[in-house]
Amino acid sequence: MNKDEIKHFIARRVARELENGDVVNLGIGLPTLIPHYVSPDVKITLQAENGFIGLCAHDGNLREDGNYYIVDPSGNPAGIEHDGMFFDSSFSFTIIRGGHVDKTILGSMQVAENGDIANWLIPGKAVHGMGGAMDLVVGAKKVIVAMEHTQKGSPKILKQCTYPLTAKGVVDMIITEMGVMDITPDGIVLREYNPEYTVEQIQAATEASLVISKNLAPME
Amino acid sequence: MGISKLISAKEAGDLIQDGMTIMVGGFMTCGTAKAVVNEISAKNLTVICNDAGFQNEGTGRLLAHGSVKRLIASHVGLNKQCGELVNSGQLELKLQPQGTLVEQIRAAGAGLGGVLTPTGVGTIVADSSQPTTLEGKQTIVVDGKEFLLEKPLHGDVAIIKGYIADESGNIRYKGTMRNFNPLMASACKMVIAEVEKIVPTGEIGPDFVETPHIFVDYLVLNPKEE
């Protein structure tokens, strides 16, 4: 798989984690591909931290002068569903921090076996800021990291994060092109594997020790 | 005749004086009062804004003109110049999680001594010895759970953006322009609201006013965004 195919492969698998009625916040990049793969009989509501629920693609009805009344959290033109609602940033983070988001799905630079996540700052690189990420991973009921398994071959799933943390002990699940992993008190459990790789290859690309599920199944 | 609060963008920009703390509404410039921001010529400002806007746009315009001494924001990655100013020592940057930043502003407007949030516990956001962390952070344990005490953020002037104002200064927003604007309007001594339309008082209607006229000191009409 090339990089683009990997992203779509991961997005398609993450989409299967979404259930009817879920309130979902999607991070930038790969997670924004997920809605394309959600089954038509699963109705989810996307929350956008800049201030609305019901995020969807814009309807093409943009103002001629290039200014938009609806933007997504990256500042790009967006739309709102018929059952959506706009609100201010305080209410937006009441939804996020208050545990009213069922699933937040975001990429990461590093995840540790204890659920620590580091996805906002690389020492020595340009400082971007955490935006809403720290609130999202602390507040959402379930935190799913959707990312490539390694960074140019170096493991990203570690015994301990080395970059500054976004939050401690918050990640519930990791989905990569190699497999699906749950973070449990016993460590990282490999629940599904991509048959293009052996379990040994997946472990070799992972610094943390994987616990192999008794019900290990191929990724669909 | 006449709308007593109505001033020009230039007059509004001139109300901002050297050394003030100002709040600029908007999220990646959606909901930023750009006509007013473009007229600010004061220096040594402390700016509180969700982000650094884009290069030379929104808060980015204030950065490009060397008006900002200190920026308190949650995300600055879409304005490359912001990082350059920080690296060259021309800008002091403090980063706060977005949900924390907005609650600090709300706390100021609501007369609270601060807020307790689980966000940032165990990260550099909790450690005031870090250059990008606000001063005086404290961790407080409530019922066995750790929280950060985040203090209120007050401002001298809030520059907010609405869609419609009535002649009294009641404001209604549209789409995602609301974001930080209503909160900032409560947290500053003076509030300047830039709007796209002004209608007779009563036409918005009490059920639909989102920021009340009691907060709004000045209105600026900017029918078409620049």
Side-chain angles (χ1 to χ4, degrees):
Chain A
M1 288 190 285
N2 66 33
K3 237 173 156 57
D4 201 48
E5 288 165 339
I6 287 172
K7 282 182 185 167
H8 282 270
F9 177 83
I10 296 169
R12 200 173 68 219
R13 179 60 191 83
V14 176
R16 293 183 48 231
E17 293 299 316
L18 302 180
E19 295 165 285
N20 210 30
D22 274 352
V23 178
V24 180
N25 184 291
L26 300 175
I28 55 167
L30 188 163
T32 61
L33 302 172
I34 293 167
H36 301 298
Y37 295 106
V38 177
S39 160
D41 49 354
V42 173
K43 160 75 176 151
I44 61 167
T45 297
L46 293 180
Q47 200 267 2
E49 64 266 27
N50 58 318
F52 63 120
I53 49 173
L55 170 67
C56 61
H58 67 76
D59 59 5
N61 188 21
L62 302 173
R63 271 171 55 172
E64 283 175 9
D65 59 4
N67 289 303
Y68 315 111
Y69 290 113
I70 310 175
V71 300
D72 68 16
S74 299
N76 298 315
I80 188 165
E81 311 248 21
H82 289 303
D83 62 355
M85 177 191 175
F86 297 112
F87 32 74
D88 65 47
S89 296
S90 176
F91 194 80
S92 187
F93 282 86
T94 289
I95 291 176
I96 289 169
R97 208 189 308 95
H100 311 287
V101 170
D102 294 299
K103 283 156 192 156
T104 188
I105 302 162
L106 66 181
S108 191
M109 275 99 75
Q110 298 181 335
V111 181
E113 59 189 7
N114 61 357
D116 289 359
I117 177 170
N119 76 342
W120 76 283
L121 182 61
I122 303 177
K125 293 271 175 74
V127 173
H128 286 193
M130 67 294 281
M134 287 190 176
D135 298 284
L136 279 159
V137 296
V138 164
K141 285 185 196 148
K142 186 165 188 176
V143 176
I144 301 175
V145 170
M147 64 176 189
E148 286 184 54
H149 203 94
T150 63
Q151 166 71 25
K152 293 176 184 155
S154 311
K156 296 169 75 175
I157 304 171
L158 308 173
K159 290 183 187 303
Q160 217 170 0
C161 294
T162 57
Y163 294 159
L165 295 183
T166 309
K168 287 172 90 84
V170 294
V171 178
D172 297 295
M173 182 185 277
I174 308 168
I175 300 181
T176 74
E177 78 280 16
M178 289 187 162
V180 178
M181 288 145 278
D182 292 319
I183 296 194
T184 75
D186 301 325
I188 301 181
V189 176
L190 181 68
R191 170 149 67 87
E192 292 178 26
Y193 71 104
N194 179 347
E196 285 187 33
Y197 305 93
T198 65
V199 169
E200 290 70 28
Q201 284 173 320
I202 299 171
Q203 177 61 75
T206 311
E207 185 194 88
S209 300
L210 296 172
V211 179
I212 310 305
S213 168
K214 287 192 298 251
N215 305 314
L216 182 69
M219 269 173 108
E220 283 174 35
Chain B
M1 67 137 280
I3 303 160
S4 61
K5 293 180 178 178
L6 187 63
I7 59 174
S8 70
K10 172 81 171 62
E11 287 168 323
D14 288 344
L15 291 169
I16 313 302
Q17 294 162 17
D18 289 357
M20 277 186 166
T21 295
I22 65 169
M23 296 192 186
V24 178
F27 189 110
M28 294 321 307
T29 77
C30 178
T32 298
K34 292 181 208 166
V36 174
V37 167
N38 286 347
E39 296 293 343
I40 292 173
S41 55
K43 302 284 176 197
N44 289 316
L45 298 175
T46 293
V47 176
I48 299 169
C49 183
N50 174 62
D51 51 71
F54 300 106
Q55 189 146 348
N56 207 25
E57 190 182 343
T59 289
R61 196 264 179 196
L62 299 174
L63 294 171
H65 282 68
S67 300
V68 188
K69 181 184 68 177
R70 176 175 160 102
L71 175 65
I72 304 172
S74 81
H75 196 275
V76 299
L78 296 180
N79 183 349
K80 213 175 133 205
Q81 189 177 29
C82 183
E84 292 165 3
L85 290 168
V86 173
N87 290 338
S88 63
Q90 295 173 79
L91 176 69
E92 185 189 347
L93 174 66
K94 300 292 179 187
L95 288 167
Q96 286 287 78
Q98 200 170 112
T100 299
L101 182 63
V102 74
E103 285 309 296
Q104 290 177 283
I105 295 166
R106 192 185 68 82
L112 301 176
V115 291
L116 295 175
T117 178
T119 303
V121 168
T123 76
I124 65 174
V125 165
D127 176 6
S128 288
S129 71
Q130 299 288 333
T132 57
T133 302
L134 277 178
E135 301 79 2
K137 293 285 183 101
Q138 293 175 50
T139 301
I140 290 178
V141 177
V142 181
D143 293 341
K145 190 171 152 79
E146 278 185 58
F147 294 89
L148 298 187
L149 169 62
E150 298 281 4
K151 294 184 198 167
L153 287 172
H154 297 269
D156 294 304
V157 182
I159 300 167
I160 69 168
K161 166 74 190 278
Y163 178 52
I164 302 177
D166 70 18
E167 292 179 343
S168 300
N170 289 308
I171 306 286
R172 185 170 182 183
Y173 302 94
K174 187 176 173 73
T176 51
M177 70 165 61
R178 194 171 326 186
N179 54 68
F180 280 70
N181 285 305
L183 291 311
M184 289 176 169
S186 72
C188 295
K189 292 174 206 155
M190 181 195 291
V191 176
I192 300 165
E194 177 181 320
V195 296
E196 298 185 13
K197 293 179 190 176
I198 298 178
V199 298
T201 295
E203 206 161 281
I204 296 175
D207 284 321
F208 300 101
V209 170
E210 291 167 294
T211 293
H213 68 84
I214 58 168
F215 286 158
V216 178
D217 298 290
Y218 297 103
L219 288 173
V220 172
L221 182 61
N222 179 22
K224 190 171 181 296
E225 276 206 285
E226 286 161 59

